[in-house]
């Protein structure tokens, strides 16, 4: 038996604006599926993000998060600023300040990291 990862499901009280945020992050268009949920195809990946409506807001730190890599270390700061311009905010999950990554949160409060970039 072989499994293939296809979806990362994100629950949200506001799935449409959240899907639009993540589509902007990856430079793609969100699409609505037959069930009324919203999807975002992640470029260069077989994984897609699926945004579903739930009645409750996020309350705790994520147990799973995305790590995003700029194409080079020099682009990390510019990408962080671009993401903040799209609606992300800086997030404190206990960093020491010595990390090579930057922790942000999407408009629903889901934390994600922008890594230092590939060598």
């Amino acid at each position: 038996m072989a499994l293939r990862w296809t979806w990362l499901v994100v629950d949200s009280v506001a799935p449409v604006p959240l899907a639009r945020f993540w589509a902007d992050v990856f430079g793609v268009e969100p699409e609505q599926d037959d069930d009324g949920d919203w999807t975002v195809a992640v470029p260069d990946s077989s994984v897609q993000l699926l945004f579903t409506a739930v009645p409750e807001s996020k309350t705790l730190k994520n147990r799973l998060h995305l790590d995003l890599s700029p194409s080079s270390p020099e682009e990390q700061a510019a990408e962080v600023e671009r993401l903040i311009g799209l609606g992300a905010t800086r997030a404190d999950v206990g960093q020491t300040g010595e990390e090579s990554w930057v922790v942000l949160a999407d408009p629903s409060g889901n934390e994600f990291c922008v890594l230092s970039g590939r060598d």
Side-chain angles (χ1 to χ4, degrees):
M1 178 185 299
L3 296 174
R4 186 172 66 104
W5 181 17
T6 55
W7 297 103
L8 176 63
V9 180
V10 182
D11 294 341
S12 175
V13 295
V16 176
L18 191 58
R20 291 187 196 286
F21 167 82
W22 282 103
D24 288 344
V25 166
F26 292 113
V28 298
E29 291 294 321
E31 295 183 15
Q32 192 170 25
D33 68 13
D34 294 339
D35 295 325
D37 295 323
W38 287 84
T39 65
V40 172
V42 178
D44 300 322
S45 173
S46 63
V47 176
Q48 296 186 63
L49 303 175
L50 175 67
F51 298 88
T52 62
V54 296
E56 69 278 349
S57 297
K58 177 185 174 297
T59 58
L60 301 172
K61 179 184 176 292
N62 292 8
R63 297 290 180 163
L64 177 72
H65 69 267
L66 300 179
D67 282 348
L68 306 178
S69 295
S71 58
S72 71
E74 296 78 26
E75 293 181 8
Q76 182 187 40
E79 282 298 322
V80 166
E81 291 309 310
R82 182 181 75 86
L83 296 169
I84 290 171
L86 292 174
T89 56
R90 293 187 180 271
D92 182 358
V93 294
Q95 308 90 295
T96 65
E98 300 297 318
E99 294 82 8
S100 62
W101 60 87
V102 176
V103 182
L104 299 176
D106 70 16
S108 287
N110 298 302
E111 298 91 4
F112 64 97
C113 295
V114 180
L115 304 181
S116 62
R118 296 178 222 146
D119 292 323

